[in-house]
Amino acid sequence: MIEIAIDELGIGNDKTAYVMLPANKNTVIDAMDRAKVFGETFVRIENCDDFPELSGFEFSEEPTLDELNFLAKRLEEISNDTSEKCAYRALLRKPMDTINEAINRTYNLQTIPVYPCNDFAEYGEIVLENEMLEELDNVPDEVYDLLDPDKVGRAMADREGGVFVDGYYVVTSGYEPVLAYDDVLPEPQEDWVFRLEVAEIPERPEDISKVKTEILTLPADEKYMQKIAKQLGEKYIGDCNIMQFESAIPQINDSAVESADDVYLLNEIARKYSGLSREDAAKFKAVLQTESWNSLDDAKGILNSLGGYDFDISVTDASDFGKKYLSAMLPPDFDRSLLEGVNAAELARNVLHANGGAITLYGAVSDYGGQLYSMIEAPQQEQENKFEMGGIS
């Protein structure tokens, strides 16, 4: 609905994460991890296809991510109604200063008159047919039929201050916004790790499309999960069907979920993941990307053994890692500026092959028990050959 850009502030800094809102908080963080945006940030609206008036819009004060996310959620809701969508677009053409105004204007839109027409002539016909212009009340019928719809439409529009929006004429002059957002947002931003649509077990398999469903977000406590199960007529959440599965950890998708019994294991992973530092969370995703794992038990095992992996979250690509490896191996007084412009990608591949590890979307990560920046010693035979060549003849 709204594409935002999250820029990392700093001189010469070109790191930007792009995210489509509305989105779960952990999904936004994942985009920032991939773009290596870790410092102080500036959030801006990059694009908004359904409401182009918002594309590149700048508020007097920078909106928070939570505010933009809630605005996107509201826009998603009103975009399903053509009249409300056109009404909001018309309101966006009026002066607007703060994100509060942008949010509050998404309410009470049903009070704004919206007429399907493309120009003043078509609107004039609507005015004449519905006798909307008081000055024409006493005009004889034979004269009334001779009136120019275009002129009537323009006269009415001048009085109302209406505007045309994508084949509709919208009158916003009498609109009064609702103060839905002042200091506290009506809803907080979602921050789940896993989101599932769970359903009751149908009496007959062919009734699966008609069953009652509920949304379960993880992590969750046992009491909440039992409440969801009870609402579906089941004793335990593991007795339900999983209809849909969403994950804020891209590497864990629905292929890893075999049955509703996996909800308990997913909840363990979600609870521990939520308590990780941002770097450790990125490390977990990096390891999942490189390790061969086949089940949620395997993923849980990786999560519990993160300390065994060496990780550099700042690495962007192989060349970057190669230069950092060279810098770590060289003497402290070596002029690091000489490494600028060096193509170290091939070195990186050789080092990672020898030491074990990989470059991921989240940075460089070692094999379990390995070190990214450890010295690679020459094989014993090669060392002996060098000694004989340089020794006493």
Side-chain angles (χ1 to χ4, degrees), residues 276-290:
L276 295 176
S277 66
R278 187 169 164 195
E279 181 168 349
D280 280 344
K283 182 196 286 191
F284 178 51
K285 292 180 286 189
V287 177
L288 287 177
Q289 188 180 329
T290 58

Side-chain angles (χ1 to χ4, degrees), residues 60-124:
S60 59
E61 294 183 5
E62 180 191 353
T64 67
L65 180 58
D66 282 8
E67 289 173 329
L68 285 173
N69 207 43
F70 183 74
L71 174 61
K73 187 175 181 179
R74 287 291 302 149
L75 295 183
E76 193 172 58
E77 293 173 4
I78 67 176
S79 65
N80 294 320
D81 186 300
T82 301
S83 292
E84 292 194 358
K85 178 180 176 181
C86 290
Y88 187 72
R89 287 190 58 190
L91 288 174
L92 288 175
R93 299 181 185 183
K94 299 170 74 72
M96 183 174 67
D97 190 45
T98 67
I99 185 69
N100 301 59
E101 291 178 276
I103 291 173
N104 289 330
R105 288 182 183 184
T106 63
Y107 294 89
N108 213 27
L109 295 173
Q110 69 279 4
T111 64
I112 297 177
V114 178
Y115 304 94
C117 55
N118 292 289
D119 52 35
F120 292 113
E122 289 186 14
Y123 183 53

Side-chain angles (χ1 to χ4, degrees), residues 136-198:
L136 302 178
D137 289 348
N138 298 319
V139 175
D141 291 344
E142 58 272 18
V143 176
Y144 197 89
D145 293 337
L146 298 175
L147 294 174
D148 184 351
D150 182 78
K151 291 182 179 180
V152 171
R154 289 180 185 276
M156 193 68 174
D158 286 342
R159 178 177 301 180
E160 297 172 324
V163 294
F164 290 97
V165 179
D166 280 355
Y168 290 85
Y169 176 75
V170 186
V171 184
T172 61
S173 53
Y175 172 74
E176 293 185 6
V178 174
L179 188 60
Y181 174 44
D182 188 9
D183 296 320
V184 180
L185 283 169
E187 296 176 22
Q189 184 180 12
E190 296 179 341
D191 62 353
W192 46 263
V193 178
F194 303 116
R195 184 179 186 273
L196 303 88
E197 182 184 17
V198 291

